[in-house]
Amino acid sequence: MKYCPNCGEQVDPKAVICPHCGVPLPSSSSSSTPATTTGDTGSAWWGVLGFFIPVAGLVLYIVWHNSEPKNAKSAGIGALIQVGVWIAFVIFCFFIGLAAGLSD
């Protein structure tokens, strides 16, 4: 299926004008180009955002996993790294506390 770039609704692949909002649609020859030309660079900054705000990284991954897969992957990896760091920190603190309790 084809989507309207203005309203985002599904339209017939042969449609010239969106039946929902009336905006002219790109020709079928230009619709064969990938939709990822909107800036899907997979920038490391999305990973940094996902690292410092893991919930945002997860949300961006869920929202972008089809439309912008490179950016989604960067944000998701940043969030996963942060979660891994927190798990390692909790395990480390647990063993430090356990060792301190055994030395008393």
Side-chain angles (χ1 to χ4, degrees):
M1 281 306 273
K2 184 172 161 181
Y3 294 91
C4 173
N6 184 51
C7 67
E9 294 289 328
Q10 281 187 339
V11 295
D12 187 292
K14 298 176 186 172
V16 179
I17 296 175
C18 176
H20 304 283
C21 66
V23 171
L25 298 172
S27 65
S28 61
S29 63
S30 66
S31 66
S32 65
T33 59
T36 59
T37 60
T38 60
D40 185 21
T41 60
S43 173
W45 290 110
W46 293 118
V48 171
L49 176 71
F51 180 81
F52 286 109
I53 309 172
V55 173
L58 177 64
V59 169
L60 288 175
Y61 177 79
I62 291 169
V63 171
W64 282 346
H65 75 277
N66 285 332
S67 63
E68 297 186 26
K70 291 178 184 176
N71 288 340
K73 183 178 178 182
S74 293
I77 288 174
L80 283 175
I81 291 172
Q82 177 64 286
V83 169
V85 166
W86 272 104
I87 290 172
F89 178 73
V90 168
I91 290 171
F92 176 76
C93 289
F94 173 76
F95 283 116
I96 293 296
L98 185 64
L102 292 176
S103 65
D104 289 339

